[in-house]
Amino acid sequence: MTPLTVIKIGGNVIDNPAALSQFLTAFAKLPGAKILVHGGGKIATQVAEKLGVQTTMIEGRRITDQPMLDVVTMVYGGLVNKQIVAKLQTLEVNAIGLTGADAGTVLAQKRPVTAIDYGFVGDIIDVDSGRIQAMLMQGLTPVYAPLTYDQTGSLLNTNADTMASTIAVDMTQRNAVTLVYCFEKKGVLTDPDDNDSVIAELTPKLYAEYKAAGTINKGMIPKLDNAFAALQNGVAKVIICHADEVGAAVSQQGAGTVLSQ
Amino acid sequence: MTPLTVIKIGGNVIDNPAALSQFLTAFAKLPGAKILVHGGGKIATQVAEKLGVQTTMIEGRRITDQPMLDVVTMVYGGLVNKQIVAKLQTLEVNAIGLTGADAGTVLAQKRPVTAIDYGFVGDIIDVDSGRIQAMLMQGLTPVYAPLTYDQTGSLLNTNADTMASTIAVDMTQRNAVTLVYCFEKKGVLTDPDDNDSVIAELTPKLYAEYKAAGTINKGMIPKLDNAFAALQNGVAKVIICHADEVGAAVSQQGAGTVLSQ
């Protein structure tokens, strides 16, 4: 099994040009095959506002009507994705910017309307890991925007955390995959106000205890549920760390939180 | 030499959803390996206006300052490109949307400032035809937005006609290339008001005569100069036709204008 690192960076890094540049420099230095999945950031909301497209969030999730889908296609699939790709090219990473529609790599279905109509939001149904593998074999580094497509030819807004974990799981068929979630904190914290209270290693048992005690807060729970599910589905290692510390975290130099089974 | 068709579609097709859909259906049916290069259309100007970014045209060319570069990156590289890719996927074309930065395939340099400062406009200096060939060999259909990048990591706005002809010329190393310019008229006309006055075949000698007589008008001259240059540089055939007639034109059923040496 070839080592492969799948890294997700969040919107807070995207929103800060200096932080993004620093992250991309660290990403470029990571050895071996790698895939980057990026979030959206606040730019989409800002662009939407200027274009007169209203942003509606329900339970922290963006409702994606047709005008908003156009905005996120522009911002995530165009502006953010291509700026990252062009920057990585200067760092000698042969990046290729993709949405799930490109090369038919990440097919989704529009989320069924229940109590909430999320609009053009996609739940992933198939990853063409063979296609992605072929790109890696050619020395390319896929950079995914959080967009997928469905069989009717519609693009769909897709949660970047889920996109990263789903791709990571699918790539385990041929690789020993490390999945890294980079965000604005140094890892999973026991005290959200103390950035040095990083839990070095988190097992499902410890996670259950922290949840029961209320130590791990609400915002982290979907991320961690997602992460443990990836481990259960064949991902070799999951790391949650600060974007600035991705190098140290991946090379096991004691940064971030490592999830284990 | 494997046959390869490189097709450029202009902004007028992009601006009309029904025309675009019709074109993509015809494009999907074209046999063999193919590459699509699309222009921008008026959407960039409309989005720029809504975002408060001023559009400045000098001699029909867009001046691309940093805010305008962001707009064209969003619109050409995101919205237009990804909508085309998603639509082609439903037509069983395994499309992959690219800018020149993606996979490092089309490197440019920022146009030097002379009497006019075009801003972030790129003149192509290198096409990695080997990379593009590898995609074709995998059954992928590259769909290029008219954007390139330079060695400083900047994206650059690039003329789509030039991008199509430059890629076409570079691909002649390994392919028998047909270059097709699709636009809103049925071909090169002897009477611009009569869409049936199509010149079936245009040689350099005939072109010189039509130019001298003023029959071929100003707007067509850069396009035709570009097209004849492509022929001189190894492209096997250049066709200029209406987007609706691309199928008939490519299969030599008497549509459009064929340029010959």
mmCIF file with all atom_site columns, all heavy atoms in Angstrom, chain B residues 152-175:
data_model
loop_
_atom_site.group_PDB
_atom_site.id
_atom_site.type_symbol
_atom_site.label_atom_id
_atom_site.label_alt_id
_atom_site.label_comp_id
_atom_site.label_asym_id
_atom_site.label_entity_id
_atom_site.label_seq_id
_atom_site.pdbx_PDB_ins_code
_atom_site.Cartn_x
_atom_site.Cartn_y
_atom_site.Cartn_z
_atom_site.occupancy
_atom_site.B_iso_or_equiv
_atom_site.pdbx_formal_charge
_atom_site.auth_seq_id
_atom_site.auth_comp_id
_atom_site.auth_asym_id
_atom_site.auth_atom_id
_atom_site.pdbx_PDB_model_num
ATOM 1   N N   . THR B 1 152 ? 4.991   33.351 -11.321 1.00 0.00 ? 152 THR B N   1
ATOM 2   C CA  . THR B 1 152 ? 4.847   33.967 -9.995  1.00 0.00 ? 152 THR B CA  1
ATOM 3   C C   . THR B 1 152 ? 3.585   33.463 -9.292  1.00 0.00 ? 152 THR B C   1
ATOM 4   O O   . THR B 1 152 ? 3.297   33.873 -8.176  1.00 0.00 ? 152 THR B O   1
ATOM 5   C CB  . THR B 1 152 ? 4.752   35.505 -10.083 1.00 0.00 ? 152 THR B CB  1
ATOM 6   O OG1 . THR B 1 152 ? 3.468   35.857 -10.615 1.00 0.00 ? 152 THR B OG1 1
ATOM 7   C CG2 . THR B 1 152 ? 5.838   36.100 -10.965 1.00 0.00 ? 152 THR B CG2 1
ATOM 8   N N   . GLY B 1 153 ? 2.821   32.604 -9.962  1.00 0.00 ? 153 GLY B N   1
ATOM 9   C CA  . GLY B 1 153 ? 1.605   32.073 -9.336  1.00 0.00 ? 153 GLY B CA  1
ATOM 10  C C   . GLY B 1 153 ? 0.383   32.923 -9.586  1.00 0.00 ? 153 GLY B C   1
ATOM 11  O O   . GLY B 1 153 ? -0.645  32.726 -8.945  1.00 0.00 ? 153 GLY B O   1
ATOM 12  N N   . SER B 1 154 ? 0.476   33.866 -10.521 1.00 0.00 ? 154 SER B N   1
ATOM 13  C CA  . SER B 1 154 ? -0.704  34.658 -10.860 1.00 0.00 ? 154 SER B CA  1
ATOM 14  C C   . SER B 1 154 ? -1.472  33.981 -11.985 1.00 0.00 ? 154 SER B C   1
ATOM 15  O O   . SER B 1 154 ? -0.868  33.458 -12.922 1.00 0.00 ? 154 SER B O   1
ATOM 16  C CB  . SER B 1 154 ? -0.290  36.062 -11.306 1.00 0.00 ? 154 SER B CB  1
ATOM 17  O OG  . SER B 1 154 ? -1.447  36.795 -11.692 1.00 0.00 ? 154 SER B OG  1
ATOM 18  N N   . LEU B 1 155 ? -2.776  34.023 -11.878 1.00 0.00 ? 155 LEU B N   1
ATOM 19  C CA  . LEU B 1 155 ? -3.605  33.618 -13.002 1.00 0.00 ? 155 LEU B CA  1
ATOM 20  C C   . LEU B 1 155 ? -3.598  34.759 -14.002 1.00 0.00 ? 155 LEU B C   1
ATOM 21  O O   . LEU B 1 155 ? -3.390  35.917 -13.634 1.00 0.00 ? 155 LEU B O   1
ATOM 22  C CB  . LEU B 1 155 ? -5.022  33.317 -12.525 1.00 0.00 ? 155 LEU B CB  1
ATOM 23  C CG  . LEU B 1 155 ? -5.100  32.068 -11.637 1.00 0.00 ? 155 LEU B CG  1
ATOM 24  C CD1 . LEU B 1 155 ? -6.320  32.100 -10.759 1.00 0.00 ? 155 LEU B CD1 1
ATOM 25  C CD2 . LEU B 1 155 ? -5.064  30.801 -12.486 1.00 0.00 ? 155 LEU B CD2 1
ATOM 26  N N   . LEU B 1 156 ? -3.826  34.459 -15.273 1.00 0.00 ? 156 LEU B N   1
ATOM 27  C CA  . LEU B 1 156 ? -3.808  35.485 -16.309 1.00 0.00 ? 156 LEU B CA  1
ATOM 28  C C   . LEU B 1 156 ? -4.963  35.249 -17.271 1.00 0.00 ? 156 LEU B C   1
ATOM 29  O O   . LEU B 1 156 ? -5.228  34.113 -17.680 1.00 0.00 ? 156 LEU B O   1
ATOM 30  C CB  . LEU B 1 156 ? -2.471  35.448 -17.070 1.00 0.00 ? 156 LEU B CB  1
ATOM 31  C CG  . LEU B 1 156 ? -1.219  35.799 -16.246 1.00 0.00 ? 156 LEU B CG  1
ATOM 32  C CD1 . LEU B 1 156 ? 0.056   35.439 -17.015 1.00 0.00 ? 156 LEU B CD1 1
ATOM 33  C CD2 . LEU B 1 156 ? -1.203  37.279 -15.850 1.00 0.00 ? 156 LEU B CD2 1
ATOM 34  N N   . ASN B 1 157 ? -5.646  36.324 -17.597 1.00 0.00 ? 157 ASN B N   1
ATOM 35  C CA  . ASN B 1 157 ? -6.737  36.300 -18.565 1.00 0.00 ? 157 ASN B CA  1
ATOM 36  C C   . ASN B 1 157 ? -6.123  36.130 -19.961 1.00 0.00 ? 157 ASN B C   1
ATOM 37  O O   . ASN B 1 157 ? -5.168  36.823 -20.297 1.00 0.00 ? 157 ASN B O   1
ATOM 38  C CB  . ASN B 1 157 ? -7.478  37.647 -18.458 1.00 0.00 ? 157 ASN B CB  1
ATOM 39  C CG  . ASN B 1 157 ? -8.803  37.645 -19.166 1.00 0.00 ? 157 ASN B CG  1
ATOM 40  O OD1 . ASN B 1 157 ? -9.250  36.631 -19.698 1.00 0.00 ? 157 ASN B OD1 1
ATOM 41  N ND2 . ASN B 1 157 ? -9.459  38.802 -19.171 1.00 0.00 ? 157 ASN B ND2 1
ATOM 42  N N   . THR B 1 158 ? -6.651  35.189 -20.738 1.00 0.00 ? 158 THR B N   1
ATOM 43  C CA  . THR B 1 158 ? -6.017  34.873 -22.012 1.00 0.00 ? 158 THR B CA  1
ATOM 44  C C   . THR B 1 158 ? -7.079  34.737 -23.097 1.00 0.00 ? 158 THR B C   1
ATOM 45  O O   . THR B 1 158 ? -8.132  34.156 -22.875 1.00 0.00 ? 158 THR B O   1
ATOM 46  C CB  . THR B 1 158 ? -5.189  33.574 -21.870 1.00 0.00 ? 158 THR B CB  1
ATOM 47  O OG1 . THR B 1 158 ? -4.185  33.801 -20.878 1.00 0.00 ? 158 THR B OG1 1
ATOM 48  C CG2 . THR B 1 158 ? -4.507  33.183 -23.166 1.00 0.00 ? 158 THR B CG2 1
ATOM 49  N N   . ASN B 1 159 ? -6.782  35.283 -24.256 1.00 0.00 ? 159 ASN B N   1
ATOM 50  C CA  . ASN B 1 159 ? -7.711  35.222 -25.379 1.00 0.00 ? 159 ASN B CA  1
ATOM 51  C C   . ASN B 1 159 ? -8.016  33.768 -25.750 1.00 0.00 ? 159 ASN B C   1
ATOM 52  O O   . ASN B 1 159 ? -7.091  32.973 -25.975 1.00 0.00 ? 159 ASN B O   1
ATOM 53  C CB  . ASN B 1 159 ? -7.071  35.983 -26.549 1.00 0.00 ? 159 ASN B CB  1
ATOM 54  C CG  . ASN B 1 159 ? -7.938  35.973 -27.785 1.00 0.00 ? 159 ASN B CG  1
ATOM 55  O OD1 . ASN B 1 159 ? -7.908  35.031 -28.561 1.00 0.00 ? 159 ASN B OD1 1
ATOM 56  N ND2 . ASN B 1 159 ? -8.737  37.008 -27.954 1.00 0.00 ? 159 ASN B ND2 1
ATOM 57  N N   . ALA B 1 160 ? -9.298  33.433 -25.810 1.00 0.00 ? 160 ALA B N   1
ATOM 58  C CA  . ALA B 1 160 ? -9.687  32.029 -26.041 1.00 0.00 ? 160 ALA B CA  1
ATOM 59  C C   . ALA B 1 160 ? -9.319  31.546 -27.442 1.00 0.00 ? 160 ALA B C   1
ATOM 60  O O   . ALA B 1 160 ? -8.947  30.378 -27.619 1.00 0.00 ? 160 ALA B O   1
ATOM 61  C CB  . ALA B 1 160 ? -11.186 31.857 -25.789 1.00 0.00 ? 160 ALA B CB  1
ATOM 62  N N   . ASP B 1 161 ? -9.404  32.420 -28.456 1.00 0.00 ? 161 ASP B N   1
ATOM 63  C CA  . ASP B 1 161 ? -9.000  32.028 -29.816 1.00 0.00 ? 161 ASP B CA  1
ATOM 64  C C   . ASP B 1 161 ? -7.527  31.622 -29.836 1.00 0.00 ? 161 ASP B C   1
ATOM 65  O O   . ASP B 1 161 ? -7.149  30.602 -30.428 1.00 0.00 ? 161 ASP B O   1
ATOM 66  C CB  . ASP B 1 161 ? -9.176  33.200 -30.798 1.00 0.00 ? 161 ASP B CB  1
ATOM 67  C CG  . ASP B 1 161 ? -10.617 33.382 -31.258 1.00 0.00 ? 161 ASP B CG  1
ATOM 68  O OD1 . ASP B 1 161 ? -11.517 32.747 -30.683 1.00 0.00 ? 161 ASP B OD1 1
ATOM 69  O OD2 . ASP B 1 161 ? -10.837 34.185 -32.192 1.00 0.00 ? 161 ASP B OD2 1
ATOM 70  N N   . THR B 1 162 ? -6.713  32.454 -29.190 1.00 0.00 ? 162 THR B N   1
ATOM 71  C CA  . THR B 1 162 ? -5.273  32.186 -29.158 1.00 0.00 ? 162 THR B CA  1
ATOM 72  C C   . THR B 1 162 ? -4.981  30.919 -28.367 1.00 0.00 ? 162 THR B C   1
ATOM 73  O O   . THR B 1 162 ? -4.123  30.113 -28.739 1.00 0.00 ? 162 THR B O   1
ATOM 74  C CB  . THR B 1 162 ? -4.540  33.372 -28.499 1.00 0.00 ? 162 THR B CB  1
ATOM 75  O OG1 . THR B 1 162 ? -5.010  34.583 -29.075 1.00 0.00 ? 162 THR B OG1 1
ATOM 76  C CG2 . THR B 1 162 ? -3.051  33.266 -28.694 1.00 0.00 ? 162 THR B CG2 1
ATOM 77  N N   . MET B 1 163 ? -5.699  30.754 -27.269 1.00 0.00 ? 163 MET B N   1
ATOM 78  C CA  . MET B 1 163 ? -5.493  29.564 -26.436 1.00 0.00 ? 163 MET B CA  1
ATOM 79  C C   . MET B 1 163 ? -5.811  28.299 -27.245 1.00 0.00 ? 163 MET B C   1
ATOM 80  O O   . MET B 1 163 ? -5.048  27.337 -27.222 1.00 0.00 ? 163 MET B O   1
ATOM 81  C CB  . MET B 1 163 ? -6.396  29.654 -25.212 1.00 0.00 ? 163 MET B CB  1
ATOM 82  C CG  . MET B 1 163 ? -6.007  28.675 -24.131 1.00 0.00 ? 163 MET B CG  1
ATOM 83  S SD  . MET B 1 163 ? -6.300  29.411 -22.505 1.00 0.00 ? 163 MET B SD  1
ATOM 84  C CE  . MET B 1 163 ? -6.100  27.943 -21.488 1.00 0.00 ? 163 MET B CE  1
ATOM 85  N N   . ALA B 1 164 ? -6.926  28.343 -27.995 1.00 0.00 ? 164 ALA B N   1
ATOM 86  C CA  . ALA B 1 164 ? -7.305  27.182 -28.811 1.00 0.00 ? 164 ALA B CA  1
ATOM 87  C C   . ALA B 1 164 ? -6.257  26.902 -29.881 1.00 0.00 ? 164 ALA B C   1
ATOM 88  O O   . ALA B 1 164 ? -5.837  25.752 -30.069 1.00 0.00 ? 164 ALA B O   1
ATOM 89  C CB  . ALA B 1 164 ? -8.675  27.423 -29.459 1.00 0.00 ? 164 ALA B CB  1
ATOM 90  N N   . SER B 1 165 ? -5.799  27.946 -30.577 1.00 0.00 ? 165 SER B N   1
ATOM 91  C CA  . SER B 1 165 ? -4.850  27.694 -31.675 1.00 0.00 ? 165 SER B CA  1
ATOM 92  C C   . SER B 1 165 ? -3.496  27.262 -31.132 1.00 0.00 ? 165 SER B C   1
ATOM 93  O O   . SER B 1 165 ? -2.834  26.407 -31.716 1.00 0.00 ? 165 SER B O   1
ATOM 94  C CB  . SER B 1 165 ? -4.722  28.912 -32.592 1.00 0.00 ? 165 SER B CB  1
ATOM 95  O OG  . SER B 1 165 ? -4.204  30.017 -31.906 1.00 0.00 ? 165 SER B OG  1
ATOM 96  N N   . THR B 1 166 ? -3.090  27.823 -29.986 1.00 0.00 ? 166 THR B N   1
ATOM 97  C CA  . THR B 1 166 ? -1.784  27.449 -29.420 1.00 0.00 ? 166 THR B CA  1
ATOM 98  C C   . THR B 1 166 ? -1.801  25.993 -28.958 1.00 0.00 ? 166 THR B C   1
ATOM 99  O O   . THR B 1 166 ? -0.850  25.238 -29.199 1.00 0.00 ? 166 THR B O   1
ATOM 100 C CB  . THR B 1 166 ? -1.401  28.390 -28.256 1.00 0.00 ? 166 THR B CB  1
ATOM 101 O OG1 . THR B 1 166 ? -1.539  29.735 -28.694 1.00 0.00 ? 166 THR B OG1 1
ATOM 102 C CG2 . THR B 1 166 ? 0.028   28.155 -27.810 1.00 0.00 ? 166 THR B CG2 1
ATOM 103 N N   . ILE B 1 167 ? -2.877  25.600 -28.279 1.00 0.00 ? 167 ILE B N   1
ATOM 104 C CA  . ILE B 1 167 ? -2.995  24.196 -27.857 1.00 0.00 ? 167 ILE B CA  1
ATOM 105 C C   . ILE B 1 167 ? -3.029  23.297 -29.091 1.00 0.00 ? 167 ILE B C   1
ATOM 106 O O   . ILE B 1 167 ? -2.332  22.276 -29.156 1.00 0.00 ? 167 ILE B O   1
ATOM 107 C CB  . ILE B 1 167 ? -4.248  23.988 -26.966 1.00 0.00 ? 167 ILE B CB  1
ATOM 108 C CG1 . ILE B 1 167 ? -4.047  24.683 -25.606 1.00 0.00 ? 167 ILE B CG1 1
ATOM 109 C CG2 . ILE B 1 167 ? -4.551  22.503 -26.772 1.00 0.00 ? 167 ILE B CG2 1
ATOM 110 C CD1 . ILE B 1 167 ? -5.288  24.705 -24.713 1.00 0.00 ? 167 ILE B CD1 1
ATOM 111 N N   . ALA B 1 168 ? -3.821  23.688 -30.104 1.00 0.00 ? 168 ALA B N   1
ATOM 112 C CA  . ALA B 1 168 ? -3.932  22.881 -31.326 1.00 0.00 ? 168 ALA B CA  1
ATOM 113 C C   . ALA B 1 168 ? -2.561  22.664 -31.960 1.00 0.00 ? 168 ALA B C   1
ATOM 114 O O   . ALA B 1 168 ? -2.195  21.542 -32.313 1.00 0.00 ? 168 ALA B O   1
ATOM 115 C CB  . ALA B 1 168 ? -4.890  23.557 -32.313 1.00 0.00 ? 168 ALA B CB  1
ATOM 116 N N   . VAL B 1 169 ? -1.784  23.741 -32.086 1.00 0.00 ? 169 VAL B N   1
ATOM 117 C CA  . VAL B 1 169 ? -0.459  23.636 -32.709 1.00 0.00 ? 169 VAL B CA  1
ATOM 118 C C   . VAL B 1 169 ? 0.429   22.700 -31.894 1.00 0.00 ? 169 VAL B C   1
ATOM 119 O O   . VAL B 1 169 ? 1.106   21.816 -32.443 1.00 0.00 ? 169 VAL B O   1
ATOM 120 C CB  . VAL B 1 169 ? 0.190   25.034 -32.860 1.00 0.00 ? 169 VAL B CB  1
ATOM 121 C CG1 . VAL B 1 169 ? 1.670   24.920 -33.195 1.00 0.00 ? 169 VAL B CG1 1
ATOM 122 C CG2 . VAL B 1 169 ? -0.548  25.850 -33.931 1.00 0.00 ? 169 VAL B CG2 1
ATOM 123 N N   . ASP B 1 170 ? 0.417   22.865 -30.585 1.00 0.00 ? 170 ASP B N   1
ATOM 124 C CA  . ASP B 1 170 ? 1.278   22.021 -29.752 1.00 0.00 ? 170 ASP B CA  1
ATOM 125 C C   . ASP B 1 170 ? 0.881   20.552 -29.806 1.00 0.00 ? 170 ASP B C   1
ATOM 126 O O   . ASP B 1 170 ? 1.735   19.665 -29.717 1.00 0.00 ? 170 ASP B O   1
ATOM 127 C CB  . ASP B 1 170 ? 1.248   22.509 -28.306 1.00 0.00 ? 170 ASP B CB  1
ATOM 128 C CG  . ASP B 1 170 ? 2.642   22.902 -27.867 1.00 0.00 ? 170 ASP B CG  1
ATOM 129 O OD1 . ASP B 1 170 ? 3.105   23.959 -28.314 1.00 0.00 ? 170 ASP B OD1 1
ATOM 130 O OD2 . ASP B 1 170 ? 3.268   22.119 -27.114 1.00 0.00 ? 170 ASP B OD2 1
ATOM 131 N N   . MET B 1 171 ? -0.385  20.297 -29.956 1.00 0.00 ? 171 MET B N   1
ATOM 132 C CA  . MET B 1 171 ? -0.855  18.905 -29.995 1.00 0.00 ? 171 MET B CA  1
ATOM 133 C C   . MET B 1 171 ? -0.527  18.226 -31.330 1.00 0.00 ? 171 MET B C   1
ATOM 134 O O   . MET B 1 171 ? -0.693  17.007 -31.455 1.00 0.00 ? 171 MET B O   1
ATOM 135 C CB  . MET B 1 171 ? -2.359  18.833 -29.718 1.00 0.00 ? 171 MET B CB  1
ATOM 136 C CG  . MET B 1 171 ? -2.784  19.273 -28.319 1.00 0.00 ? 171 MET B CG  1
ATOM 137 S SD  . MET B 1 171 ? -1.976  18.408 -26.937 1.00 0.00 ? 171 MET B SD  1
ATOM 138 C CE  . MET B 1 171 ? -2.711  16.772 -27.085 1.00 0.00 ? 171 MET B CE  1
ATOM 139 N N   . THR B 1 172 ? -0.072  18.977 -32.338 1.00 0.00 ? 172 THR B N   1
ATOM 140 C CA  . THR B 1 172 ? 0.279   18.361 -33.631 1.00 0.00 ? 172 THR B CA  1
ATOM 141 C C   . THR B 1 172 ? 1.507   17.466 -33.528 1.00 0.00 ? 172 THR B C   1
ATOM 142 O O   . THR B 1 172 ? 1.773   16.687 -34.445 1.00 0.00 ? 172 THR B O   1
ATOM 143 C CB  . THR B 1 172 ? 0.536   19.421 -34.726 1.00 0.00 ? 172 THR B CB  1
ATOM 144 O OG1 . THR B 1 172 ? 1.623   20.254 -34.334 1.00 0.00 ? 172 THR B OG1 1
ATOM 145 C CG2 . THR B 1 172 ? -0.696  20.271 -34.998 1.00 0.00 ? 172 THR B CG2 1
ATOM 146 N N   . GLN B 1 173 ? 2.252   17.582 -32.431 1.00 0.00 ? 173 GLN B N   1
ATOM 147 C CA  . GLN B 1 173 ? 3.402   16.683 -32.250 1.00 0.00 ? 173 GLN B CA  1
ATOM 148 C C   . GLN B 1 173 ? 2.971   15.218 -32.275 1.00 0.00 ? 173 GLN B C   1
ATOM 149 O O   . GLN B 1 173 ? 3.746   14.346 -32.659 1.00 0.00 ? 173 GLN B O   1
ATOM 150 C CB  . GLN B 1 173 ? 4.095   16.973 -30.919 1.00 0.00 ? 173 GLN B CB  1
ATOM 151 C CG  . GLN B 1 173 ? 4.821   18.314 -30.896 1.00 0.00 ? 173 GLN B CG  1
ATOM 152 C CD  . GLN B 1 173 ? 5.308   18.664 -29.486 1.00 0.00 ? 173 GLN B CD  1
ATOM 153 O OE1 . GLN B 1 173 ? 5.733   17.787 -28.758 1.00 0.00 ? 173 GLN B OE1 1
ATOM 154 N NE2 . GLN B 1 173 ? 5.241   19.934 -29.121 1.00 0.00 ? 173 GLN B NE2 1
ATOM 155 N N   . ARG B 1 174 ? 1.762   14.967 -31.784 1.00 0.00 ? 174 ARG B N   1
ATOM 156 C CA  . ARG B 1 174 ? 1.317   13.572 -31.644 1.00 0.00 ? 174 ARG B CA  1
ATOM 157 C C   . ARG B 1 174 ? -0.010  13.281 -32.332 1.00 0.00 ? 174 ARG B C   1
ATOM 158 O O   . ARG B 1 174 ? -0.493  12.165 -32.279 1.00 0.00 ? 174 ARG B O   1
ATOM 159 C CB  . ARG B 1 174 ? 1.160   13.226 -30.156 1.00 0.00 ? 174 ARG B CB  1
ATOM 160 C CG  . ARG B 1 174 ? 2.435   13.348 -29.345 1.00 0.00 ? 174 ARG B CG  1
ATOM 161 C CD  . ARG B 1 174 ? 2.136   13.036 -27.887 1.00 0.00 ? 174 ARG B CD  1
ATOM 162 N NE  . ARG B 1 174 ? 3.327   13.137 -27.052 1.00 0.00 ? 174 ARG B NE  1
ATOM 163 C CZ  . ARG B 1 174 ? 3.781   14.267 -26.514 1.00 0.00 ? 174 ARG B CZ  1
ATOM 164 N NH1 . ARG B 1 174 ? 3.151   15.410 -26.743 1.00 0.00 ? 174 ARG B NH1 1
ATOM 165 N NH2 . ARG B 1 174 ? 4.860   14.277 -25.756 1.00 0.00 ? 174 ARG B NH2 1
ATOM 166 N N   . ASN B 1 175 ? -0.624  14.307 -32.948 1.00 0.00 ? 175 ASN B N   1
ATOM 167 C CA  . ASN B 1 175 ? -1.976  14.109 -33.485 1.00 0.00 ? 175 ASN B CA  1
ATOM 168 C C   . ASN B 1 175 ? -2.158  14.820 -34.827 1.00 0.00 ? 175 ASN B C   1
ATOM 169 O O   . ASN B 1 175 ? -1.474  15.804 -35.110 1.00 0.00 ? 175 ASN B O   1
ATOM 170 C CB  . ASN B 1 175 ? -3.013  14.713 -32.514 1.00 0.00 ? 175 ASN B CB  1
ATOM 171 C CG  . ASN B 1 175 ? -2.915  14.153 -31.112 1.00 0.00 ? 175 ASN B CG  1
ATOM 172 O OD1 . ASN B 1 175 ? -3.518  13.139 -30.793 1.00 0.00 ? 175 ASN B OD1 1
ATOM 173 N ND2 . ASN B 1 175 ? -2.144  14.800 -30.261 1.00 0.00 ? 175 ASN B ND2 1
#
